[in-house]
């Protein structure tokens, strides 16, 4: 059964430290009907010929865990730098984006998502019938 809450959106300021350091804006979106994922879009000044990933679907639990302890393997890693700063690494083959973001802002956004869909109820929020229809099942 799907939730009827609207998607939650937030814009955070970050520093993109891949290549020359520069400011970036992170657009975060959480749709309660999808439950598990946060969509992260990066907006930053692109250095010519720099392959920068701009849109990612990240596990909400991975982001939350990464606020306290190093988390993730493979393409996405999140870890605390200090009480105030969190590092997000997006590392698919051939591309790299490393971002420093305010832990307070990220924690606030995630707290709002957990108010919409409590921890452990992620799967209950997904409209599985619609997801299966989209797959043609």
């Amino acid at each position: 059964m799907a939730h009827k809450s609207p998607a939650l959106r937030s814009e955070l300021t970050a520093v993109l430290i891949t290549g020359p350091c520069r400011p970036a804006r992170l657009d975060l979106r959480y749709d309660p009907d999808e439950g598990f994922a946060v969509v992260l879009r990066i907006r930053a000044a692109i250095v010519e010929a720099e392959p920068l990933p701009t849109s990612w679907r990240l596990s909400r639990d991975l982001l939350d865990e990464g606020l306290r302890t190093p988390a993730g393997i493979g393409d996405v890693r999140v870890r605390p730098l200090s009480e105030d700063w969190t590092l997000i690494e997006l590392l698919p083959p051939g591309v790299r984006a490393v971002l420093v973001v305010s832990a307070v802002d990220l924690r606030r956004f995630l707290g709002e998502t957990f108010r919409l869909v409590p921890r452990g109820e992620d799967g209950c929020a997904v409209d599985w019938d619609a997801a299966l229809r989209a797959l043609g099942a």
Side-chain angles (χ1 to χ4, degrees), residues 44-56:
I46 305 294
V47 175
E48 194 168 316
E50 176 187 33
L52 178 68
T54 58
S55 184
W56 288 82

Side-chain angles (χ1 to χ4, degrees), residues 2-8 29-34 112-113 115-117 125:
H3 281 63
K4 298 299 179 201
S5 300
L8 179 63
R29 182 178 178 275
Y30 178 75
D31 186 341
D33 291 338
E34 294 179 20
E112 291 178 34
T113 72
R115 277 189 282 288
L116 283 176
V117 178

Side-chain angles (χ1 to χ4, degrees), residues 111-135:
E112 291 178 34
T113 72
F114 286 118
R115 277 189 282 288
L116 283 176
V117 178
R119 189 180 316 278
E121 293 185 18
D122 314 69
C124 298
V126 176
D127 183 345
W128 292 109
D129 291 332
L132 289 171
R133 279 193 302 276
L135 294 173

Side-chain angles (χ1 to χ4, degrees), residues 1 9 12-13 21-22 32 47 58 60 65 71-72 77-79 87 92-93 95 106 113 124 127 129 135:
M1 173 182 215
R9 296 177 187 272
L12 306 182
T13 300
C21 290
R22 59 201 180 274
V47 175
L58 307 176
R60 177 173 74 152
E65 182 180 349
R77 298 177 190 165
V78 182
R79 66 181 168 96
L87 186 78
V95 179
L106 184 55
T113 72
C124 298
D127 183 345
D129 291 332
L135 294 173

Side-chain angles (χ1 to χ4, degrees), residues 33-118:
D33 291 338
E34 294 179 20
F36 297 100
V38 170
V39 175
L40 178 148
R41 285 187 50 236
I42 302 170
R43 291 187 291 134
I46 305 294
V47 175
E48 194 168 316
E50 176 187 33
L52 178 68
T54 58
S55 184
W56 288 82
R57 296 179 65 78
L58 307 176
S59 162
R60 177 173 74 152
D61 289 338
L62 172 71
L63 288 171
D64 186 51
E65 182 180 349
L67 286 167
R68 296 178 305 282
T69 186
I73 55 173
D75 291 355
V76 179
R77 298 177 190 165
V78 182
R79 66 181 168 96
L81 290 176
S82 70
E83 215 173 283
D84 299 323
W85 302 104
T86 299
L87 186 78
I88 300 173
E89 297 178 278
L90 307 171
L91 309 164
V95 179
R96 186 166 190 251
V98 181
L99 299 147
V100 176
V101 63
S102 164
V104 171
D105 292 343
L106 184 55
R107 193 174 292 113
R108 184 178 305 122
F109 172 76
L110 290 171
E112 291 178 34
T113 72
F114 286 118
R115 277 189 282 288
L116 283 176
V117 178

